[in-house]
Amino acid sequence: MSSEQGAGGGGNGGGKEQQISAFSVGDLGGALPGGTGTFTAADRAGLVNALKDKLQYLAGQSSGYVESLSPKVKKRVQALQDLQKQHDEVEMKFREERAILEAKYQKLYAPFYAKRFEIVTGAVDVDDNKGEAEAEAKTEEGLAKFLLSRVCSYLVSSLSIVENGVPEFWLTAMKSNEVLGMQITERDEGALKFLKEIKWCNLESPKGFRLDFYFDTNPYFRNSVLSKTYHMVDEDEPILERAIGTEIEWHAGKNLTQKILKKKPKKGAKNTKPVTKTEQCDSFFNFFSPPLVPDDDDDIDATDAEQLQDLMEQDYEIGSTIKEKIIPHAVSWFTGEALQGDEYEDVDDENDTESDDEEEDDEEEEDEEDEEEEDEGSARKPAAPRTKAAVKKQASGDQPPECKQQ
């Protein structure tokens, strides 16, 4: 069924509820990837327009309030609509200029990231402040320190104890972040020690961004680069079309996303060999196998759509955290400085002589501070775009959990 048929089909069958319940993203199958051929730019534009038409149609059916207004009030509403249109035109210019500004500063950031890469990987070394060392060497104490440092350097080099760059830089930086730290298991750490760089870039066609993880040769997988790409249907009204990850070429027995269980056969069983079973397990590297959006959305009920939306939001939050927090501020996450704003002060239990009124005032202040911290935390959290599953759920008339009546 085409989008036009879906929007107009309600005229044959009754009221507004029938029209809403009949809507399905599956009706847009001709425009979806995997439907009727290659997902071209024209198909993508068609999908966006069809989704907008569907949602606008459903929104227009929600109430007859505006139509019931008096002519004078309708004129005022029309004036408000004209203002909104002018606002939207300015907003469009803002988005265009913001994109240009972001591209400009990405180029300005590039030399810093390149220098950071060289230091982290040991491609270049940092100057040992030779001027200060020579100045200290003019005093007896300074001379002793200078000679001791040279002896230590000689012993280290003679014993071939060479530690290039900054070991475990990216592993430590990611573990320090709450969102990413929860994704990294102890088993993952062995592989992530070989991570030497993370980069990101914007994509123009289709819209979105890509994350690239560069690894040294390691005993876990053959890939030198693991990538994760987020495709957006429309950046102005962000709908996450899909996420794509690199297929990891694991070495035999080194797949960190799976665990092998061996069960001994029961006594008296004919087959005495242990039974081997492979199961999926928690791992950061599951990040490269993102949730899949089925081609046939007719099979997704409200519950499945909600679960898919949650999974894709979590996946997008991890990607956005890497892009917006870890990459630009990796040094601060490595040293722990980025965590200072999240630390809580110790409660002082020594002042037990406060009056009840003072204690109540303190509790009220703490409650207000907690609310402020929650607001700040939610502001720092990357906002997840709507997914096609969420669009379907909204169009079918389902309310999100936070909007349901108790």
Side-chain angles (χ1 to χ4, degrees), residues 12 73 80 203 258 290 301 304 306 320-321 348 373 380 387 402:
N12 300 328
V73 176
L80 292 175
L203 303 177
Q258 296 179 348
D301 58 23
D304 292 338
E306 184 175 330
S320 297
T321 298
D348 187 359
E373 288 176 356
R380 288 194 300 267
T387 63
E402 62 270 19

Side-chain angles (χ1 to χ4, degrees), residues 344-356:
Y344 294 93
E345 294 182 0
D346 293 333
V347 179
D348 187 359
D349 296 329
E350 295 178 0
N351 299 324
D352 295 329
T353 58
E354 293 182 344
S355 64
D356 293 339

Side-chain angles (χ1 to χ4, degrees), residues 297-312:
D297 291 328
D298 288 332
D299 295 336
I300 302 180
D301 58 23
T303 302
D304 292 338
E306 184 175 330
Q307 292 177 349
L308 178 59
Q309 168 71 9
D310 291 341
L311 289 173
M312 295 187 75

Side-chain angles (χ1 to χ4, degrees), residues 59-79:
Q61 298 295 321
S62 62
S63 172
Y65 174 69
V66 175
E67 290 75 9
S68 68
L69 298 174
S70 66
K72 286 187 177 181
V73 176
K74 285 183 178 179
K75 286 184 179 179
R76 295 167 192 155
V77 172
Q78 181 62 50

Side-chain angles (χ1 to χ4, degrees), residues 94-315:
F94 160 71
R95 289 195 176 110
E96 292 173 356
E97 292 181 11
R98 181 179 62 182
I100 295 172
L101 194 62
E102 286 179 347
K104 171 186 174 182
Y105 277 89
Q106 276 303 112
K107 291 181 180 178
L108 295 177
Y109 295 147
F112 300 109
Y113 295 155
K115 185 66 175 179
R116 182 179 67 186
F117 172 77
E118 292 177 343
I119 295 174
V120 167
T121 58
V124 299
D125 212 344
V126 180
D127 187 3
D128 293 330
N129 297 323
K130 293 181 179 179
E132 293 181 11
E134 291 173 357
E136 288 183 356
K138 294 179 180 179
T139 65
E140 282 190 25
E141 184 179 356
L143 179 59
K145 289 182 179 179
F146 177 75
L147 292 174
L148 181 60
S149 66
R150 288 294 180 266
V151 170
C152 290
S153 298
Y154 172 76
L155 290 174
V156 168
S157 60
S158 64
L159 293 172
S160 298
I161 304 175
V162 179
E163 194 173 40
N164 291 327
V166 183
E168 303 179 22
F169 176 81
W170 289 102
L171 169 61
T172 305
M174 290 196 297
K175 283 177 61 180
S176 297
N177 180 270
E178 182 180 3
V179 172
L180 295 180
M182 295 175 62
Q183 308 299 320
I184 299 173
T185 68
E186 289 186 10
R187 298 174 70 226
D188 295 330
E189 293 185 16
L192 289 174
K193 290 178 181 179
F194 292 91
L195 179 59
K196 60 181 182 179
E197 177 72 307
I198 308 177
K199 295 181 179 181
W200 76 273
C201 64
N202 275 320
L203 303 177
E204 290 299 325
S205 181
K207 293 288 186 180
F209 66 92
R210 188 183 73 238
L211 299 169
D212 294 318
F213 298 73
Y214 295 82
F215 286 85
D216 276 324
T217 302
N218 63 81
Y220 294 89
F221 45 80
R222 298 180 182 85
N223 313 69
S224 59
V225 182
L226 299 179
S227 298
K228 180 69 171 286
T229 305
Y230 290 91
H231 288 173
M232 314 301 293
V233 174
D234 192 336
E235 284 188 341
D236 294 338
E237 295 179 12
I239 300 174
L240 178 59
E241 178 195 333
R242 57 178 173 166
I244 304 173
T246 298
E247 182 177 351
I248 303 177
E249 301 175 10
W250 297 101
H251 289 299
K254 295 293 185 177
N255 191 335
L256 298 173
T257 66
Q258 296 179 348
K259 59 182 179 181
I260 300 175
L261 303 177
K262 291 184 179 181
K263 294 184 178 180
K264 295 181 179 180
K266 295 180 179 180
K267 292 183 178 180
K270 294 182 179 180
N271 187 2
T272 58
K273 294 183 179 180
V275 178
T276 301
K277 185 179 180 181
T278 302
E279 291 184 355
Q280 292 297 118
C281 63
D282 293 337
S283 171
F284 169 79
F285 291 93
N286 286 323
F287 176 66
F288 299 98
S289 299
L292 297 176
V293 179
D295 290 335
D296 187 0
D297 291 328
D298 288 332
D299 295 336
I300 302 180
D301 58 23
T303 302
D304 292 338
E306 184 175 330
Q307 292 177 349
L308 178 59
Q309 168 71 9
D310 291 341
L311 289 173
M312 295 187 75
E313 282 185 359
Q314 293 172 15
D315 180 69

